[in-house]
Amino acid sequence: MKKSLLCFLAVVCLVAMFATTLVACKPDNQDPPTPPEPEKIAVTGVSLDKTAVSLLVNETAQLKATVAPADADNKRVTWTSSDNNVAEVSVTGVVTAKANGTATITAKTTDGGFTATCTVTVSSIEVTGIDISATSASLNLGEQLVLAVELLPENASNKNVMWTTSNESVAIVNNGVVTALKAGEAVITATTVSGNLRANCTVTVSGQGIDYSTYTHIKTVEDYKKIVPGNGKYCLDNDIDFGGEDVGCIGNSGDYTKVNFTGVFDGRGYSIKNAYFVSNGKDTETGENNNSDCAMFWKVNAGGAVRNVNFVDCVSEGLVYNAIVAVWVEGGTIENCYIQGHVANNNDYWDGWTLGGMIACVIKVENGVPARIRNCIVYGTSAGITYGLVGSNYTESPTHRAVENCYMITAMDGTPMNMVGDISAEWSGGAQPAFDCYSITAEEALVADTFKVLNPYYWVVEDGRVPYLRTEEGIVRDHQGYELKIIVIVDATKEISLGSGQKKLSVEFKPAGQEVSLNWASSDETVVKVDNAGILTPVSTGTATITITTSDGYTATCIVTVVD
């Protein structure tokens, strides 16, 4: 019995010692067991808020995809179209109708690849009529005519037209702008993109005027940058907007072999806008650009001319000689130009002596040929010791009409500036080169009949407003603060063709904004019908009179001739 007890106690001791050893060997910093990751909530499907959509060409629709379940972890979808030519879809589900037809828009989940679709049917509203602003026109060489078209109905899906000319040697057309190139006749045609409807204008070009077919045509900023000094001939075909870009001189003071412009730059009534003229001349000592002489042209010499240009919101700002049009005009001509902008000197170069003029810095005689600045209007401000319409002159003759028929217009609260700069008398021996010129404020410029001395062929002066240069055919260009006169317009005569479809007669009222009910009537509905919106429908060839009567008894008539 004692032996058994002793054995039992020995076993207990061994077990206790083994347990103590195990406890002593266990690490004190052992991490608790990691719990299992929660299961991700997978996508089980997708649906769209629309399963079918009908759109007109160019219309849009927003599709919304709903992914199930609502608490799915990944709700992203991708969008595709079965035919992008008919309908396109953006990454956010915006559908854009492009052309007639049917396309299937599919939303697909990135988790699981579930899909939902929407059938998009695209249709269009066809053009029923085309009208042109003039059916005939007479132009001189170099003149331009802007043709406009009106398509019916107003909400037609595709209102683009194609312009063609029957004789490119006589007249060309670009987006409705017709340019006369040589004597002869050309038919300008506007055709709807469907090709079913057309409208014509017969242009007759006479041999009088400037032959612009011999000119280099400037249409873009890049075209402008290719103009070089010399005796080339250039003309604007449309407005050129530089958007505040730096524009180097045509010619420069650093290369004395290429400083003179003896050719012609004819704006034809178009505008150079938002140009910041800078010098591309070099300092004679350092060879670095000194920005001392800033203008569109460095020199306009004998035989050279800048004419018929609007300079709108243009800036010239440099160290010494600054102007908008030319630094030096030596025997050259600046005429029929409108200059609006700012000229300033920004440094104390030459001990603070600076020179600036809105049109030119210096004008002078070259080899007996006097400079001429005439029929121009300057509207803006200048800064510097010497400034004005022209900075200074070397005319050396009190009788030479170097500057004539010009106006210097300053701001409402500004002091009228000198026509020619302050020190011109010292340089010219006391000569006064300005004749029939006036320096006034904008407030004075608003007085009616102020601008009688200006050639009305080039300038538009209405209701006492500041005049603005126009093209020879009388098209007024954009100008801040200048408003077109609103008058009652009802076409006195109108020619339409059976092949051009419907037309619309437009009526404008003076004063504008009146709400007047009109009654329209045709004298012969077998020739042409008219509805209450003024839309004409040609029926057969012949002539009929359309009468428009207002609710208060005023009438106007239009004679409509329908041709094949």
Side-chain angles (χ1 to χ4, degrees):
M1 184 70 179
K2 291 183 179 179
K3 184 182 295 186
S4 299
L5 180 60
L6 290 174
C7 289
F8 172 76
L9 291 175
V11 170
V12 171
C13 291
L14 288 174
V15 170
M17 291 175 60
F18 181 74
T20 303
T21 303
L22 287 176
V23 171
C25 293
K26 179 182 178 181
D28 293 334
N29 60 347
Q30 181 177 350
D31 293 331
T34 302
E37 293 185 8
E39 294 185 5
K40 291 185 178 179
I41 301 176
V43 172
T44 59
V46 63
S47 61
L48 294 178
D49 61 332
K50 302 179 184 72
T51 58
V53 173
S54 295
L55 298 174
L56 295 175
V57 172
N58 296 325
E59 284 187 336
T60 61
Q62 173 71 64
L63 297 181
K64 181 180 179 181
T66 301
V67 176
D71 57 350
D73 287 288
N74 184 351
K75 292 185 178 183
R76 288 177 295 174
V77 297
T78 58
W79 297 89
T80 57
S81 170
S82 64
D83 192 341
N84 285 318
N85 293 323
V86 173
E88 293 180 344
V89 63
S90 72
V91 294
T92 58
V94 177
V95 179
T96 302
K98 308 298 289 185
N100 288 358
T102 301
T104 300
I105 304 300
T106 300
K108 183 178 181 180
T109 64
T110 57
D111 180 6
F114 295 94
T115 61
T117 61
C118 175
T119 302
V120 176
T121 303
V122 180
S123 59
S124 60
I125 297 177
E126 299 299 326
V127 175
T128 60
I130 179 173
D131 197 8
I132 196 165
S133 55
T135 55
S136 63
S138 297
L139 301 176
N140 290 324
L141 287 177
E143 284 188 330
Q144 289 185 307
L145 170 70
V146 177
L147 294 175
V149 293
E150 183 177 10
L151 300 181
L152 295 175
E154 293 184 354
N155 62 340
S157 297
N158 192 334
K159 302 184 77 172
N160 294 321
V161 297
M162 298 174 289
W163 292 92
T164 57
T165 176
S166 64
N167 194 334
E168 288 190 346
S169 65
V170 172
I172 58 175
V173 61
N174 180 18
N175 291 328
V177 180
V178 181
T179 303
L181 298 181
K182 92 174 177 181
E185 186 176 283
V187 177
I188 306 299
T189 301
T191 306
T192 59
V193 291
S194 64
N196 297 329
L197 300 174
R198 66 189 183 282
N200 297 327
C201 176
T202 301
V203 175
T204 303
V205 181
S206 70
Q208 301 176 356
I210 300 172
D211 184 359
Y212 284 108
S213 65
T214 62
Y215 280 56
T216 298
H217 295 258
I218 307 301
K219 302 178 182 179
T220 66
V221 170
E222 293 306 314
D223 289 342
Y224 179 95
K225 292 178 179 179
K226 296 175 183 177
I227 299 172
V228 297
N231 60 354
K233 296 188 294 184
Y234 305 88
C235 64
L236 291 179
D237 280 4
N238 44 252
D239 294 344
I240 304 294
D241 193 334
F242 286 90
E245 179 181 340
D246 287 354
V247 182
C249 288
I250 298 173
N252 62 80
S253 58
D255 185 348
Y256 288 97
T257 64
K258 296 182 178 180
V259 296
N260 302 332
F261 184 79
T262 55
V264 176
F265 185 92
D266 192 331
R268 296 159 73 180
Y270 287 110
S271 300
I272 292 175
K273 298 181 177 181
N274 300 304
Y276 198 105
F277 294 112
V278 298
S279 171
N280 49 357
K282 304 295 182 182
D283 188 282
T284 54
E285 295 181 0
T286 66
E288 296 179 355
N289 188 306
N290 57 23
N291 201 35
S292 64
D293 310 305
C294 301
M296 174 178 171
F297 292 90
W298 165 241
K299 280 188 179 180
V300 179
N301 284 56
V306 180
R307 57 171 63 104
N308 306 324
V309 188
N310 295 303
F311 294 87
V312 179
D313 291 329
C314 292
V315 177
S316 175
E317 184 177 5
L319 301 184
V320 183
Y321 296 97
N322 303 285
I324 299 293
V325 184
V327 178
W328 299 75
V329 183
E330 300 183 4
T333 299
I334 312 293
E335 60 184 350
N336 303 321
C337 288
Y338 171 92
I339 297 92
Q340 181 259 314
H342 180 73
V343 174
N345 299 95
N346 59 14
N347 202 292
D348 58 356
Y349 196 73
W350 285 356
D351 298 325
W353 186 88
T354 56
L355 180 64
M358 285 292 291
I359 294 181
C361 287
V362 179
I363 57 175
K364 61 179 292 189
V365 175
E366 182 195 30
N367 298 327
V369 180
R372 299 192 68 184
I373 295 178
R374 59 186 181 182
N375 203 28
C376 292
I377 290 179
V378 164
Y379 186 40
T381 59
S382 292
I385 294 177
T386 305
Y387 57 87
L389 186 143
V390 177
S392 188
N393 75 90
Y394 290 164
T395 61
E396 300 176 355
S397 169
T399 59
H400 169 53
R401 300 174 73 91
V403 183
E404 59 180 336
N405 241 26
C406 291
Y407 278 86
M408 167 68 80
I409 304 174
T410 51
M412 287 285 190
D413 56 352
T415 301
M417 293 185 289
N418 292 330
M419 188 60 53
V420 180
D422 294 340
I423 62 173
S424 59
E426 175 186 340
W427 284 18
S428 61
Q432 174 49 264
F435 293 81
D436 293 326
C437 295
Y438 303 89
S439 181
I440 58 179
T441 65
E443 184 175 16
E444 294 170 317
L446 296 178
V447 177
D449 300 326
T450 298
F451 302 97
K452 287 183 177 179
V453 299
L454 293 174
N455 183 347
Y457 184 75
Y458 289 101
W459 297 92
V460 176
V461 183
E462 288 183 357
D463 298 340
R465 295 186 179 92
V466 174
Y468 190 65
L469 185 63
R470 67 179 184 180
T471 58
E472 295 177 358
E473 75 274 14
I475 297 172
V476 180
R477 303 297 170 191
D478 294 335
H479 178 249
Q480 186 176 4
Y482 186 87
E483 299 177 2
L484 293 177
K485 190 175 182 180
I486 300 175
I487 61 174
V488 177
I489 299 176
V490 177
D491 294 331
T493 61
K494 193 171 189 66
E495 181 180 291
I496 63 178
S497 67
L498 292 171
S500 63
Q502 293 178 318
K503 304 289 179 290
K504 184 177 181 180
L505 290 180
S506 299
V507 179
E508 296 182 13
F509 296 95
K510 179 182 179 181
Q514 299 182 62
E515 294 185 2
V516 181
S517 60
L518 300 175
N519 180 59
W520 302 76
S522 171
S523 65
D524 191 345
E525 292 194 347
T526 65
V527 173
V528 62
K529 295 181 179 181
V530 62
D531 66 12
N532 287 332
I535 295 178
L536 306 173
T537 302
V539 179
S540 63
T541 58
T543 301
T545 299
I546 304 298
T547 302
I548 306 100
T549 306
T550 67
S551 56
D552 48 1
Y554 291 96
T555 63
T557 59
C558 173
I559 298 174
V560 177
T561 301
V562 180
V563 298
D564 278 329

